Structures are given as C-alpha cells and as structure tokens.
Amino acid sequence: MFSLSYKNRIAFNYIMSTALLIAVVFFIIYQVIHFSVDKHIDEELKVELQKHLDDVSIDSNDTYLIRVDQWRAREHNSISVNPVFVQFYDNNKKLIDKSPNLKNSNLTLLDVSDEVHFKESKLNTIPIRQIQTSIKNQENVVGYLVIAMSLDDFEIVYVLRKIMLLTYPLILIVLFLIARFFAGRSIRPVTNIIETSSQITKDNLSARIGMPTNKDELFVLSKTINDLLDRMEDTVAREKQFTSDASHELRTPLAIIKGTLEVLVRKPREKQEYEEKINFCVNEVNRLNHLIDELLLLARFENQKQNNKIESVYLNAIVLDSLSRYSEKIKDNDLVINSQFDNDYYIQSDYYLMSIIINNLISNAIKYSKPKGTVSVNLKTENKQTILNISDDGIGIAKDDLAKIFNSFYRANPTLNTAIKGTGLGLSIVKRLCDLLNISVVVSSSENVGTTFELRIS
C-alpha cells in the first residue's frame, strides 16, 4: 500500500466522494436523456401507426383499401428528414405496398401475437425501431401494418455517453489538483506547527507556534500546544530553580559541618568545646535530615496522581493534635491560642494529607508570632463549604512577597529574621497538597500586623 502525504490524502478523500457524486449525477443525466429519447421515438411510432391505420378502409369482402395518395403525401420520400418507413401486408403476410423511401429494402414482419410490438433492427446499416399491428375487420385479421423510424436521434445519447466517459477522468484529475492546492493552503498552519516543534528542545522551550487568522480547529490546536509549551517551560524553569536551590540548601549544612569538624581536629580542645561543636554538628545534621525529608515529601507529592485515600476526616481532632504537638513552643513564647469550635466538623478527604497541611500552617503561625502573641484557629460552614482560618498577629508578609510564598525555598527577608529557622518548603507542600485535594487556599497579610490562611473545603 503506497503512502500519501497528509495533503494528498485530503485531496484523495475529497476526490473519492466527489467521484461518486459525479458518477451518480452523470448516470442520472444519461438515463433521463436515454429514457426521454426512447419514449419520444415510441410515441412518434404510435402516432404514425395510428395515422396510417386511419388511411385504411375495409370492404365487405374483408379486403382493405389504402388511401395511397394521402399517406404518400406525408413526406415519406425523404430519408434525411425524420424518415418514417411504412409497409402493408395482406393476411397471408404478402407485401402489398410500401413507402417510396424504402426503395429496394423491406421491413421485416414479425411473427408475434401482440397487437403492438416494438423491435430494433437495421435497414441498410441504418439503425431503426419498428412497430407492427394487425389490421382487423371485427375479429378477422385482414392484413398487417409495419411502421419503422430511424434511430438517428439516439446518436445524441451515444455521443453524450462518450463525452461523459471521456470527461469523467479529466474532471477528477482537475478537481484533484484544485483540491490538492487548497488542501496545501489549509494545512499550512500544520506545517508551521511541525517546523516550530522541530525547533523545540529541552534547552529551548521559548519558541511558539504562530496563531492562524481564522479561529477554527487549527487555531484551537495551536493555542493548546502553545499553552502546553508555556506549562512545560514553567515546569522546567521551576525544576531547574528547585534543583539549584536544593543543591545550595544541601551543600550549606554539609559545608558547615565539614568546616566545624576540620577546625575541631586541628588541635586538642577542652571537653566542653568538643561537646559544644559536636552538638552544633548534630543540630545541623538534624536540620539536614529535616530538609531531606521535606524534599522527598515534596517530590513524592509532585508526582502523585489522584489516588488519595478518601475517608471521613474529623478536623477538630487534627487541629487539636497539631496544637498539642507544638505545646512546648507555645509555652516558651507565651502564646495565646484561640481554638473554640462551635460544632464537630467532618469532611471527606485524605486524613494524612490534611494533617500535613494543617500542621504546617499551625507551625508557621506559631513560628512567626511575636512573644505573647495570639494564634487563632476557627472552623465554620459557609455555602456548603467547610472553612478553616489560621491567623497570627506576628511579623506578617510584605505585599510584594505574597505571590512568592508558595515557591520552593522562598523565604521572605530571611536575613532580617535569622532567629526563625526554616527551609522554605512548608508552604510549597501546603499548596501542592491543597491542589491534590481540590482545596482553595487564600492568604492575606500585612507587615507587623499578622497573617491569615483560609482553607475552603468543598
């Protein structure tokens, strides 16, 4: 099976359907003309037959007489203009008379029982159609009348058939070339898509497909591919940034540990100094472990599909468990916790993922609260949605930083808050899990006033 290009396949499929349609139209035209000419000749023969029967009279001896002067005066002498041939036979099928245009030729009398019978034959190589009938006196057959007419009118039918057979393939060839030309113009956007796609690599995702003028299916296809490229470019950029940040964040504690240990072994130290440096290294190792855990957790959720374990989740218990987990920090900072719930709140979700979200948000609220500050956790129902608000009156977030807080490793002004430790991954994890669980997360904050995170759970 030979292979055709997309452009030629479009043209070929168009031609196949058009060929069928033209064939049907040609066939109908041919049949209509053939039927019309055929019917016209038969009607002319019947008319001529009736005229010549009217010229016949029968006497009392069952002998029929022909008004020769009348029927011979009907222009039977010319074979070039609508020739009609006439022959009379007696009841013994012997020739009595014939039209002058027959000259030395004779029409064949058929041995048929039908009163009227058509037959096609030839007269001196001229195609004719004849009709015959018996001449009767009451029930007795006294003779026969045969009328014939040239089939020259059928020449137009034969010519028409030849013209159709010759023009049919020519029409298809011309239509194929025209269809191929317009198909090429129609798929030009597809060619642009192919050319643009060939330029796109993992290191060059900036190329975009030119949008077609008409907003048709190709416009939608081009827009969809461009949107896909936008998402891919954004994903690759975030992956590169994530890799760079992760590499930096992992190297920093390792470099600190290495430097501390190198200094420690240069010369003998006091026991207290050894313990101090070792404890410092242990803390850095713990921070490194925590960072690795969060990186693995984020990587796991980045690749996770919608196969979460959906069950009935008691939100009140998750909130109280998280608060109790940070009870020591709450006590150290002398924080006030407002967590009064009017009702028991249940949702259909993944318990493990919900506990991570709430735990990270409460951890941030406690971490960034001022000493003797207030952390509020409120649950309510609004428009068939369960709403969880976690607020603090801490250092807040600058307006320019609000759009970036969900980015991996992003921390607002870390140099101004050196006492607050963190990896910058907590809110990235929160955002990713909220997307997995179809939870809307909204943050509002003002510097030195406080921050509020609102979760809307359907």
Side-chain angles (χ1 to χ4, degrees):
M1 184 64 182
F2 58 91
S3 177
L4 294 176
S5 66
Y6 184 60
K7 177 174 64 176
N8 288 333
R9 285 205 307 272
I10 292 177
F12 181 75
N13 291 334
Y14 169 76
I15 287 302
M16 291 299 293
S17 58
T18 305
L20 179 61
L21 178 62
I22 294 176
V24 171
V25 172
F26 276 15
F27 178 78
I28 292 174
I29 292 174
Y30 176 79
Q31 290 298 324
V32 168
I33 293 177
H34 186 282
F35 175 78
S36 298
V37 173
D38 193 69
K39 184 178 180 183
H40 173 73
I41 292 175
D42 288 348
E43 289 177 350
E44 287 289 326
L45 284 172
K46 288 181 180 179
V47 170
E48 292 293 334
L49 181 68
Q50 188 59 47
K51 286 180 181 179
H52 289 82
L53 285 176
D54 293 339
D55 292 335
V56 174
S57 60
I58 301 174
D59 60 15
S60 58
N61 295 322
D62 283 344
T63 303
Y64 69 90
L65 304 174
I66 307 170
R67 300 183 183 93
V68 177
D69 294 338
Q70 294 184 17
W71 68 270
R72 286 189 176 180
R74 293 198 187 101
E75 299 182 1
H76 294 309
N77 297 308
S78 175
I79 197 169
S80 60
V81 180
N82 229 8
V84 177
F85 308 102
V86 183
Q87 275 192 200
F88 288 95
Y89 292 87
D90 61 13
N91 58 347
N92 294 319
K93 299 182 179 181
K94 300 295 184 181
L95 178 64
I96 296 178
D97 200 357
K98 62 181 178 180
S99 58
N101 56 7
L102 282 172
K103 297 182 180 181
N104 297 326
S105 302
N106 291 311
L107 299 176
T108 303
L109 181 64
L110 303 177
D111 187 15
V112 294
S113 59
D114 302 299
E115 283 298 310
V116 178
H117 186 81
F118 292 99
K119 177 177 175 58
E120 292 185 6
S121 60
K122 287 189 177 182
L123 182 66
N124 295 334
T125 70
I126 298 175
I128 62 172
R129 177 176 295 175
Q130 69 180 54
I131 183 175
Q132 73 178 51
T133 186
S134 58
I135 302 172
K136 292 183 179 181
N137 180 21
Q138 296 180 354
E139 295 299 326
N140 297 323
V141 177
V142 297
Y144 299 93
L145 171 61
V146 181
I147 304 290
M149 185 175 288
S150 171
L151 292 179
D152 287 341
D153 287 348
F154 258 105
E155 284 299 317
I156 189 174
V157 179
Y158 300 140
V159 171
L160 177 63
R161 183 173 63 184
K162 291 179 180 178
I163 291 174
M164 287 181 172
L165 291 176
L166 289 174
T167 58
Y168 183 71
L170 295 178
I171 291 174
L172 294 184
I173 292 172
V174 172
L175 285 177
F176 176 80
L177 296 176
I178 294 174
R180 189 175 181 274
F181 171 75
F182 284 106
R185 295 187 59 182
S186 299
I187 66 171
R188 191 171 298 164
V190 177
T191 305
N192 294 335
I193 292 174
I194 295 172
E195 292 176 353
T196 305
S197 300
S198 64
Q199 300 172 5
I200 297 172
T201 63
K202 65 177 182 178
D203 298 320
N204 176 28
L205 293 173
S206 59
R208 294 295 180 269
I209 296 168
M211 302 301 290
T213 307
N214 299 323
K215 293 188 177 181
D216 51 12
E217 290 81 358
L218 290 177
F219 180 91
V220 175
L221 174 62
S222 301
K223 186 176 184 303
T224 302
I225 294 176
N226 283 341
D227 291 342
L228 174 61
L229 291 174
D230 288 338
R231 293 193 297 271
M232 289 176 61
E233 186 176 22
D234 181 63
T235 301
V236 170
R238 285 191 291 108
E239 181 181 352
K240 288 181 179 179
Q241 185 64 41
F242 179 85
T243 304
S244 174
D245 292 340
S247 176
H248 176 268
E249 292 293 331
L250 289 172
R251 283 197 185 101
T252 300
L254 289 174
I256 293 173
I257 294 172
K258 179 183 178 183
T260 302
L261 293 176
E262 286 177 346
V263 170
L264 197 60
V265 298
R266 282 178 185 172
K267 62 179 181 178
R269 309 276 180 177
E270 297 291 334
K271 179 181 178 182
Q272 182 179 357
E273 191 174 357
Y274 276 116
E275 290 178 352
E276 181 182 341
K277 296 299 182 181
I278 291 173
N279 286 331
F280 176 79
C281 290
V282 169
N283 290 333
E284 285 299 313
V285 170
N286 289 336
R287 191 168 79 86
L288 185 59
N289 282 333
H290 179 67
L291 175 61
I292 292 173
D293 288 341
E294 288 194 324
L295 285 173
L296 293 175
L297 186 66
L298 186 60
R300 170 190 168 192
F301 293 140
E302 283 291 338
N303 298 320
Q304 184 170 341
K305 306 300 181 182
Q306 296 293 345
N307 56 354
N308 306 312
K309 181 182 179 182
I310 304 302
E311 57 188 334
S312 180
V313 177
Y314 185 33
L315 286 180
N316 304 53
I318 294 179
V319 171
L320 294 176
D321 287 344
S322 296
L323 290 173
S324 63
R325 188 176 295 114
Y326 298 104
S327 58
E328 187 174 343
K329 290 185 179 180
I330 293 172
K331 184 178 179 181
D332 292 341
N333 292 330
D334 198 15
L335 299 178
V336 177
I337 305 297
N338 291 329
S339 59
Q340 295 180 354
F341 311 130
D342 297 333
N343 297 302
D344 292 333
Y345 293 90
Y346 290 89
I347 61 169
Q348 294 297 315
S349 188
D350 188 300
Y351 178 87
Y352 174 64
L353 302 186
M354 279 302 304
S355 63
I356 294 176
I357 293 172
I358 295 175
N359 184 72
N360 280 345
L361 292 179
I362 290 179
S363 172
N364 274 7
I366 294 172
K367 184 190 303 182
Y368 290 100
S369 291
K370 297 176 182 178
K372 298 184 180 180
T374 301
V375 175
S376 299
V377 183
N378 296 317
L379 279 168
K380 62 180 180 179
T381 302
E382 183 179 290
N383 296 329
K384 296 183 179 180
Q385 286 185 322
T386 301
I387 300 175
L388 172 62
N389 284 302
I390 300 176
S391 305
D392 64 71
D393 55 1
I395 61 176
I397 304 171
K399 186 177 180 180
D400 294 338
D401 294 328
L402 278 176
K404 307 173 186 176
I405 61 173
F406 292 115
N407 294 342
S408 299
F409 299 107
Y410 184 81
R411 297 183 66 201
N413 296 324
T415 56
L416 299 178
N417 304 293
T418 55
I420 301 176
K421 303 298 182 181
T423 61
L425 292 174
L427 290 181
S428 296
I429 295 173
V430 168
K431 177 60 177 172
R432 177 57 183 159
L433 296 186
C434 286
D435 291 341
L436 283 175
L437 298 176
N438 295 320
I439 296 174
S440 172
V441 54
V442 180
V443 58
S444 58
S445 183
S446 298
E447 285 188 280
N448 299 316
V449 176
T451 304
T452 299
F453 283 87
E454 180 180 88
L455 301 180
R456 289 184 169 268
I457 309 165
S458 299

